[in-house]
Coordinates of all heavy atoms in Angstrom, one line a residue:
L1 N 9.8 16.8 -60.8 CA 10.7 17.8 -60.8 C 11.7 17.7 -59.8 O 12.9 17.8 -60.0 CB 9.9 19.2 -60.7 CG 10.8 20.5 -60.8 CD1 11.5 20.5 -62.2 CD2 10.0 21.7 -60.5
D2 N 11.3 17.2 -58.6 CA 12.2 17.0 -57.6 C 13.2 15.8 -57.8 O 14.3 16.0 -57.5 CB 11.4 16.6 -56.2 CG 10.8 18.0 -55.5 OD1 11.1 19.0 -55.9 OD2 9.9 17.7 -54.6
D3 N 12.7 14.8 -58.5 CA 13.5 13.6 -59.0 C 14.5 14.2 -59.9 O 15.8 13.7 -59.7 CB 12.7 12.6 -59.6 CG 11.8 11.8 -58.6 OD1 12.1 11.9 -57.4 OD2 10.9 10.9 -59.1
Q4 N 14.3 15.0 -60.8 CA 15.2 15.5 -61.8 C 16.4 16.3 -61.0 O 17.5 16.3 -61.3 CB 14.6 16.4 -62.7 CG 13.8 15.6 -63.8 CD 13.0 16.5 -64.7 OE1 12.8 17.7 -64.5 NE2 12.5 16.0 -65.8
R5 N 15.8 17.1 -60.0 CA 16.8 18.0 -59.2 C 17.9 17.0 -58.5 O 19.0 17.2 -58.4 CB 16.1 18.8 -58.2 CG 15.3 20.0 -58.9 CD 14.7 20.9 -57.9 NE 15.5 21.4 -56.9 CZ 15.2 21.7 -55.6 NH1 13.9 21.6 -55.3 NH2 16.1 22.2 -54.8
I6 N 17.3 16.0 -57.9 CA 18.1 15.0 -57.1 C 19.0 14.3 -58.0 O 20.2 14.2 -57.6 CB 17.1 14.0 -56.3 CG1 16.4 14.7 -55.2 CG2 17.9 12.9 -55.7 CD1 15.2 13.9 -54.6
E7 N 18.6 13.9 -59.2 CA 19.3 13.2 -60.1 C 20.6 14.1 -60.6 O 21.7 13.6 -60.7 CB 18.6 12.6 -61.3 CG 17.7 11.5 -60.9 CD 16.6 11.0 -62.0 OE1 16.7 11.6 -63.1 OE2 15.7 10.3 -61.6
K8 N 20.2 15.3 -60.9 CA 21.3 16.2 -61.4 C 22.4 16.5 -60.3 O 23.5 16.5 -60.5 CB 20.6 17.5 -61.8 CG 21.6 18.7 -62.2 CD 22.4 18.3 -63.5 CE 23.2 19.5 -63.9 NZ 24.5 19.2 -64.1
F9 N 21.9 16.7 -59.0 CA 22.7 16.9 -57.9 C 23.6 15.6 -57.7 O 24.8 15.8 -57.5 CB 21.9 17.3 -56.7 CG 23.0 17.8 -55.5 CD1 23.4 18.9 -55.5 CD2 23.3 16.8 -54.6 CE1 24.2 19.4 -54.5 CE2 24.1 17.2 -53.6 CZ 24.6 18.4 -53.5
A10 N 23.0 14.4 -57.8 CA 23.8 13.3 -57.6 C 24.8 13.2 -58.7 O 26.1 12.8 -58.5 CB 22.9 12.1 -57.6
E11 N 24.6 13.4 -59.9 CA 25.4 13.4 -61.0 C 26.6 14.4 -60.8 O 27.8 14.0 -60.9 CB 24.8 13.7 -62.4 CG 23.9 12.6 -62.8 CD 23.2 13.1 -64.1 OE1 23.5 14.0 -64.9 OE2 22.2 12.4 -64.4
D12 N 26.3 15.6 -60.4 CA 27.4 16.5 -60.1 C 28.2 16.1 -58.8 O 29.4 16.3 -58.8 CB 26.8 17.9 -59.8 CG 26.1 18.5 -61.0 OD1 26.4 18.1 -62.2 OD2 25.4 19.5 -60.8
T13 N 27.5 15.5 -57.8 CA 28.3 15.1 -56.6 C 29.3 13.9 -56.9 O 30.4 14.0 -56.5 CB 27.2 14.7 -55.6 OG1 26.4 15.7 -55.3 CG2 28.0 14.2 -54.3
V14 N 28.7 13.0 -57.7 CA 29.6 11.9 -58.1 C 30.9 12.3 -58.9 O 31.9 11.9 -58.7 CB 28.8 10.8 -58.9 CG1 29.7 9.8 -59.6 CG2 27.8 10.1 -58.0
K15 N 30.5 13.2 -59.9 CA 31.7 13.7 -60.7 C 32.7 14.3 -59.8 O 33.9 14.2 -59.9 CB 31.1 14.7 -61.7 CG 32.2 15.3 -62.6 CD 31.6 16.1 -63.6 CE 32.6 16.8 -64.5 NZ 32.0 17.7 -65.5
C16 N 32.3 15.2 -58.9 CA 33.1 16.0 -58.0 C 33.9 15.1 -57.1 O 35.1 15.2 -56.8 CB 32.3 16.9 -57.2 SG 33.2 17.9 -55.9
I17 N 33.3 14.1 -56.5 CA 33.9 13.1 -55.5 C 34.9 12.3 -56.3 O 36.0 12.1 -55.8 CB 32.9 12.1 -54.9 CG1 32.1 13.0 -53.8 CG2 33.5 11.0 -54.3 CD1 30.9 12.2 -53.3
N18 N 34.7 11.8 -57.5 CA 35.7 11.2 -58.3 C 36.9 12.0 -58.7 O 38.0 11.4 -58.6 CB 35.1 10.7 -59.6 CG 34.3 9.4 -59.5 OD1 34.7 8.5 -58.6 ND2 33.3 9.2 -60.2
Q19 N 36.8 13.3 -58.8 CA 37.9 14.1 -59.0 C 38.7 14.5 -57.8 O 39.9 14.5 -57.8 CB 37.4 15.5 -59.7 CG 36.9 15.1 -61.2 CD 36.2 16.5 -61.7 OE1 36.0 17.4 -61.0 NE2 36.0 16.4 -63.0
A20 N 37.8 14.8 -56.7 CA 38.5 15.2 -55.4 C 39.0 14.2 -54.6 O 39.9 14.4 -53.8 CB 37.5 16.1 -54.7
Y21 N 38.4 12.9 -54.7 CA 38.9 11.9 -53.8 C 39.3 10.7 -54.6 O 38.8 9.6 -54.3 CB 37.7 11.6 -52.8 CG 37.2 12.7 -52.0 CD1 36.1 13.5 -52.3 CD2 37.9 13.1 -50.8 CE1 35.6 14.5 -51.6 CE2 37.4 14.1 -50.1 CZ 36.3 14.8 -50.4 OH 35.8 15.9 -49.7
E22 N 40.2 10.8 -55.5 CA 40.6 9.7 -56.2 C 41.2 8.6 -55.4 O 41.2 7.4 -55.9 CB 41.8 10.3 -57.3 CG 41.3 11.2 -58.3 CD 42.4 11.6 -59.3 OE1 43.5 11.0 -59.2 OE2 42.1 12.5 -60.0
T23 N 41.8 8.8 -54.3 CA 42.4 7.7 -53.6 C 41.4 6.9 -52.7 O 41.8 5.8 -52.2 CB 43.5 8.3 -52.6 OG1 42.9 9.2 -51.7 CG2 44.5 9.0 -53.4
L24 N 40.1 7.3 -52.6 CA 39.2 6.6 -51.9 C 38.7 5.3 -52.6 O 38.8 5.3 -53.8 CB 38.0 7.4 -51.6 CG 38.1 8.6 -50.6 CD1 36.7 9.3 -50.6 CD2 38.6 8.3 -49.3
T25 N 38.4 4.3 -51.9 CA 37.8 3.1 -52.5 C 36.4 3.5 -53.0 O 35.7 4.5 -52.6 CB 37.6 2.0 -51.5 OG1 36.7 2.4 -50.5 CG2 39.0 1.6 -50.9
N26 N 35.9 2.5 -53.9 CA 34.6 2.8 -54.4 C 33.5 2.9 -53.3 O 32.5 3.7 -53.3 CB 34.2 1.8 -55.4 CG 34.8 1.8 -56.7 OD1 35.4 2.9 -57.0 ND2 35.0 0.8 -57.5
E27 N 33.8 2.0 -52.2 CA 32.7 2.1 -51.2 C 32.7 3.3 -50.4 O 31.8 3.8 -49.9 CB 33.1 0.9 -50.2 CG 32.7 -0.5 -50.7 CD 33.8 -1.0 -51.7 OE1 34.9 -0.4 -51.7 OE2 33.6 -2.0 -52.4
E28 N 34.0 3.9 -50.2 CA 34.2 5.1 -49.5 C 33.6 6.3 -50.3 O 32.9 7.2 -49.7 CB 35.6 5.3 -49.2 CG 36.2 4.5 -48.2 CD 37.7 4.6 -48.0 OE1 38.4 4.9 -49.1 OE2 38.3 4.4 -46.9
K29 N 33.7 6.2 -51.7 CA 33.2 7.2 -52.5 C 31.6 7.2 -52.5 O 31.0 8.2 -52.4 CB 33.6 7.1 -54.0 CG 35.1 7.4 -54.2 CD 35.5 7.1 -55.6 CE 36.8 7.3 -55.9 NZ 37.3 7.0 -57.3
F30 N 31.2 6.0 -52.5 CA 29.7 5.9 -52.4 C 29.1 6.4 -51.1 O 28.2 7.2 -51.1 CB 29.3 4.4 -52.5 CG 27.8 4.1 -52.5 CD1 27.0 4.1 -53.7 CD2 27.1 3.9 -51.3 CE1 25.7 4.0 -53.7 CE2 25.6 3.8 -51.3 CZ 25.0 3.7 -52.5
A31 N 29.8 6.1 -50.0 CA 29.4 6.7 -48.6 C 29.4 8.1 -48.6 O 28.6 8.8 -48.1 CB 30.2 6.0 -47.6
K32 N 30.5 8.8 -49.2 CA 30.7 10.2 -49.3 C 29.5 10.9 -50.2 O 29.0 11.8 -49.7 CB 32.1 10.6 -49.8 CG 32.3 12.0 -50.0 CD 32.5 12.7 -48.7 CE 32.9 14.2 -48.8 NZ 32.3 15.0 -47.9
A33 N 29.3 10.2 -51.3 CA 28.2 10.7 -52.1 C 26.9 10.7 -51.4 O 26.1 11.6 -51.4 CB 28.2 9.8 -53.4
Q34 N 26.6 9.5 -50.8 CA 25.4 9.4 -50.0 C 25.3 10.5 -48.9 O 24.2 11.0 -48.8 CB 25.3 7.9 -49.4 CG 24.0 7.5 -48.8 CD 24.1 6.0 -48.3 OE1 25.1 5.6 -47.9 NE2 23.0 5.4 -48.4
E35 N 26.3 10.6 -48.2 CA 26.3 11.6 -47.1 C 26.1 13.0 -47.6 O 25.2 13.9 -47.2 CB 27.7 11.7 -46.4 CG 27.9 12.7 -45.4 CD 29.2 12.7 -44.8 OE1 29.9 11.6 -44.7 OE2 29.7 13.8 -44.5
D36 N 26.7 13.4 -48.8 CA 26.6 14.7 -49.4 C 25.2 15.0 -49.9 O 24.6 16.1 -49.7 CB 27.6 15.0 -50.5 CG 29.1 15.1 -49.9 OD1 29.3 15.1 -48.6 OD2 30.0 15.1 -50.6
I37 N 24.7 13.9 -50.6 CA 23.4 14.1 -51.3 C 22.3 14.2 -50.1 O 21.4 15.0 -50.3 CB 23.1 12.9 -52.1 CG1 24.1 13.0 -53.4 CG2 21.6 12.9 -52.7 CD1 24.2 11.8 -54.2
L38 N 22.3 13.3 -49.1 CA 21.4 13.3 -48.1 C 21.4 14.8 -47.3 O 20.3 15.3 -46.9 CB 21.6 12.2 -47.1 CG 21.2 10.8 -47.5 CD1 21.6 9.8 -46.5 CD2 19.6 10.8 -47.7
Q39 N 22.6 15.2 -47.1 CA 22.7 16.5 -46.5 C 21.9 17.6 -47.4 O 21.2 18.5 -46.9 CB 24.2 17.0 -46.3 CG 24.2 18.3 -45.5 CD 25.7 18.5 -45.2 OE1 26.6 18.1 -46.0 NE2 26.1 19.4 -44.3
W40 N 22.3 17.6 -48.8 CA 21.6 18.6 -49.6 C 20.1 18.4 -49.7 O 19.4 19.3 -49.6 CB 22.2 18.4 -51.0 CG 21.6 19.3 -52.0 CD1 21.9 20.6 -52.3 CD2 20.5 18.9 -52.9 NE1 21.0 21.1 -53.2 CE2 20.3 20.1 -53.7 CE3 19.9 17.7 -53.3 CZ2 19.2 20.0 -54.8 CZ3 19.0 17.7 -54.3 CH2 18.7 18.9 -54.9
I41 N 19.6 17.1 -49.7 CA 18.2 16.9 -49.7 C 17.5 17.4 -48.4 O 16.5 18.0 -48.5 CB 17.9 15.3 -49.8 CG1 18.3 14.8 -51.3 CG2 16.6 15.0 -49.5 CD1 18.2 13.4 -51.5
A42 N 18.2 17.3 -47.4 CA 17.6 17.9 -46.1 C 17.6 19.3 -46.1 O 16.6 19.9 -45.7 CB 18.5 17.3 -44.9
T43 N 18.5 20.0 -46.6 CA 18.4 21.4 -46.8 C 17.4 21.9 -47.7 O 17.0 23.0 -47.5 CB 19.9 22.1 -47.1 OG1 20.3 21.6 -48.3 CG2 21.0 21.7 -46.0
E44 N 17.2 21.2 -48.6 CA 16.2 21.6 -49.7 C 14.7 21.1 -49.3 O 13.8 21.5 -50.1 CB 16.5 20.8 -51.0 CG 17.8 21.3 -51.7 CD 17.7 22.8 -52.1 OE1 16.7 23.2 -52.8 OE2 18.6 23.5 -51.8
G45 N 14.6 20.4 -48.2 CA 13.3 20.0 -47.8 C 12.7 18.9 -48.6 O 11.5 18.7 -48.8
L46 N 13.6 18.1 -49.3 CA 13.1 17.1 -50.2 C 13.2 15.7 -49.4 O 13.8 15.6 -48.3 CB 14.1 16.9 -51.4 CG 14.1 18.2 -52.3 CD1 15.1 18.0 -53.3 CD2 12.8 18.5 -52.8
K47 N 12.6 14.6 -49.9 CA 12.7 13.3 -49.3 C 13.1 12.2 -50.3 O 12.8 12.4 -51.5 CB 11.3 13.0 -48.7 CG 11.0 13.9 -47.5 CD 9.7 13.5 -46.9 CE 9.4 14.5 -45.8 NZ 8.3 14.1 -44.9
I48 N 13.8 11.2 -49.8 CA 14.1 10.1 -50.8 C 14.3 8.9 -49.9 O 14.7 9.1 -48.7 CB 15.4 10.5 -51.5 CG1 15.6 9.4 -52.6 CG2 16.5 10.5 -50.6 CD1 16.7 9.8 -53.7
T49 N 13.9 7.7 -50.5 CA 14.0 6.5 -49.7 C 15.5 6.0 -50.0 O 16.2 6.4 -50.8 CB 13.1 5.4 -50.3 OG1 13.5 5.1 -51.5 CG2 11.6 5.8 -50.2
E50 N 15.9 5.2 -49.0 CA 17.3 4.6 -49.1 C 17.5 3.9 -50.4 O 18.5 4.0 -51.0 CB 17.6 3.7 -47.9 CG 19.0 3.3 -47.7 CD 19.2 2.5 -46.5 OE1 18.7 2.9 -45.5 OE2 20.1 1.6 -46.4
A51 N 16.6 3.1 -50.7 CA 16.6 2.3 -52.0 C 16.7 3.2 -53.2 O 17.6 3.0 -54.0 CB 15.3 1.4 -52.1
K52 N 16.0 4.3 -53.2 CA 16.0 5.1 -54.4 C 17.3 5.9 -54.5 O 17.9 6.2 -55.5 CB 14.8 6.2 -54.3 CG 14.9 7.2 -55.5 CD 13.5 7.6 -55.9 CE 13.6 8.5 -57.1 NZ 12.5 8.7 -57.9
L53 N 17.8 6.3 -53.3 CA 19.1 7.0 -53.2 C 20.2 6.1 -53.8 O 21.0 6.6 -54.6 CB 19.4 7.4 -51.8 CG 20.8 8.1 -51.5 CD1 20.9 9.3 -52.4 CD2 21.0 8.4 -50.1
K54 N 20.1 4.9 -53.4 CA 21.2 3.9 -54.0 C 21.2 3.9 -55.5 O 22.2 3.9 -56.2 CB 21.0 2.5 -53.4 CG 22.0 1.6 -53.8 CD 22.0 0.2 -53.2 CE 23.0 -0.7 -53.7 NZ 23.0 -1.9 -53.2
I55 N 19.9 3.7 -56.0 CA 19.7 3.6 -57.4 C 20.2 5.0 -58.1 O 20.8 5.0 -59.3 CB 18.2 3.5 -57.8 CG1 17.9 2.0 -57.4 CG2 18.0 3.6 -59.3 CD1 16.4 1.7 -57.4
V56 N 19.8 6.1 -57.5 CA 20.3 7.4 -58.1 C 21.7 7.5 -58.1 O 22.4 7.9 -59.2 CB 19.7 8.6 -57.3 CG1 20.3 9.9 -57.6 CG2 18.1 8.7 -57.5
I57 N 22.5 7.1 -57.0 CA 24.0 7.2 -57.0 C 24.6 6.3 -58.0 O 25.3 6.6 -58.8 CB 24.4 6.9 -55.6 CG1 24.1 8.0 -54.7 CG2 26.0 6.8 -55.6 CD1 24.3 7.8 -53.3
E58 N 24.0 5.0 -58.1 CA 24.5 4.0 -59.1 C 24.3 4.5 -60.5 O 25.2 4.4 -61.3 CB 23.9 2.6 -58.9 CG 24.3 2.0 -57.6 CD 25.8 1.7 -57.5 OE1 26.5 1.7 -58.4 OE2 26.2 1.3 -56.2
S59 N 23.2 5.2 -60.8 CA 22.9 5.6 -62.1 C 23.9 6.8 -62.4 O 24.5 6.9 -63.5 CB 21.5 6.2 -62.2 OG 21.3 6.9 -63.4
A60 N 24.3 7.6 -61.4 CA 25.1 8.7 -61.6 C 26.6 8.3 -61.9 O 27.3 8.7 -62.7 CB 25.1 9.7 -60.5
V61 N 27.0 7.2 -61.1 CA 28.2 6.5 -61.4 C 28.3 6.0 -62.8 O 29.4 6.3 -63.5 CB 28.5 5.5 -60.3 CG1 29.7 4.6 -60.7 CG2 28.6 6.1 -58.9
A62 N 27.3 5.4 -63.2 CA 27.3 4.8 -64.6 C 27.4 5.9 -65.7 O 28.2 5.8 -66.7 CB 26.2 4.0 -64.9
K63 N 26.7 7.0 -65.6 CA 26.7 8.2 -66.4 C 28.1 8.7 -66.4 O 28.6 9.0 -67.5 CB 25.7 9.1 -66.1 CG 24.3 8.8 -66.5 CD 23.3 9.8 -66.1 CE 21.8 9.4 -66.4 NZ 20.9 10.4 -66.0
N64 N 28.7 8.9 -65.3 CA 30.0 9.5 -65.2 C 31.0 8.5 -65.8 O 31.9 9.1 -66.6 CB 30.4 9.7 -63.7 CG 31.6 10.5 -63.4 OD1 31.9 11.5 -64.1 ND2 32.5 10.0 -62.6
K65 N 30.9 7.2 -65.6 CA 31.8 6.3 -66.3 C 31.6 6.3 -67.7 O 32.7 6.3 -68.5 CB 31.5 4.9 -65.7 CG 32.6 3.9 -66.1 CD 32.4 2.6 -65.4 CE 32.8 2.5 -64.0 NZ 32.7 1.2 -63.4
A66 N 30.4 6.4 -68.2 CA 30.3 6.4 -69.7 C 30.8 7.7 -70.4 O 31.3 7.6 -71.5 CB 28.8 6.4 -69.9
K67 N 30.6 8.8 -69.6 CA 31.2 10.1 -70.2 C 32.8 10.1 -70.3 O 33.4 10.5 -71.2 CB 30.8 11.3 -69.3 CG 29.4 11.6 -69.5 CD 29.0 12.8 -68.5 CE 27.6 13.1 -68.7 NZ 27.1 14.2 -67.8
K68 N 33.4 9.3 -69.3 CA 34.9 9.2 -69.3 C 35.3 8.3 -70.5 O 36.3 8.6 -71.0 CB 35.3 8.5 -68.0 CG 35.4 9.5 -66.9 CD 36.0 8.9 -65.6 CE 36.0 9.8 -64.4 NZ 36.6 9.1 -63.2
E69 N 34.6 7.3 -70.8 CA 34.9 6.3 -71.8 C 34.7 7.0 -73.3 O 35.5 6.6 -74.2 CB 34.0 5.1 -71.8 CG 34.3 4.2 -70.5 CD 33.4 3.1 -70.4 OE1 32.5 2.9 -71.1 OE2 33.6 2.3 -69.4
V70 N 33.8 8.0 -73.3 CA 33.6 8.7 -74.7 C 34.9 9.6 -75.0 O 35.2 9.7 -76.2 CB 32.3 9.4 -74.6 CG1 32.1 10.3 -75.8 CG2 31.1 8.5 -74.6
K71 N 35.4 10.1 -74.0 CA 36.4 11.1 -74.2 C 37.7 10.5 -74.7 O 38.1 9.4 -74.8 CB 36.8 11.8 -72.9 CG 35.6 12.8 -72.4 CD 36.0 13.5 -71.1 CE 35.0 14.4 -70.8 NZ 35.1 15.2 -69.6

């Protein structure tokens, strides 16, 4: 259940960052997503490894990109 919450939050975060920070590089967007997600995880009392966080963000980016291509 925690994994699903984290994945959903990551997807929402990536979508928001892509809309709000269009001028940032991909590396800067990744860093911003990582920062925002880690902050949320801490406030929720959840835990995640650095490796899993990277996978969750990359997955969210892929889903966001796929949704854009469908439109």
Side-chain angles (χ1 to χ4, degrees):
L1 185 62
D2 288 344
D3 284 351
Q4 290 175 342
R5 290 177 59 207
I6 292 170
E7 290 169 10
K8 174 67 173 133
F9 187 81
E11 289 174 21
D12 292 345
T13 300
V14 165
K15 182 179 177 181
C16 179
I17 287 171
N18 279 328
Q19 291 174 349
Y21 301 100
E22 291 180 11
T23 59
L24 295 181
T25 66
N26 288 339
E27 292 81 13
E28 290 169 327
K29 288 178 184 179
F30 184 90
K32 178 69 175 146
Q34 190 173 31
E35 176 186 329
D36 290 355
I37 294 166
L38 284 174
Q39 185 177 23
W40 176 78
I41 285 173
T43 62
E44 294 293 312
L46 304 173
K47 295 184 182 192
I48 192 168
T49 64
E50 189 175 325
K52 180 154 183 159
L53 178 59
K54 182 176 180 178
I55 291 168
V56 167
I57 293 171
E58 293 294 344
S59 176
V61 168
K63 286 180 182 178
N64 189 48
K65 192 178 279 190
K67 286 179 183 177
K68 283 183 178 180
E69 290 174 359
V70 170
K71 289 182 179 180

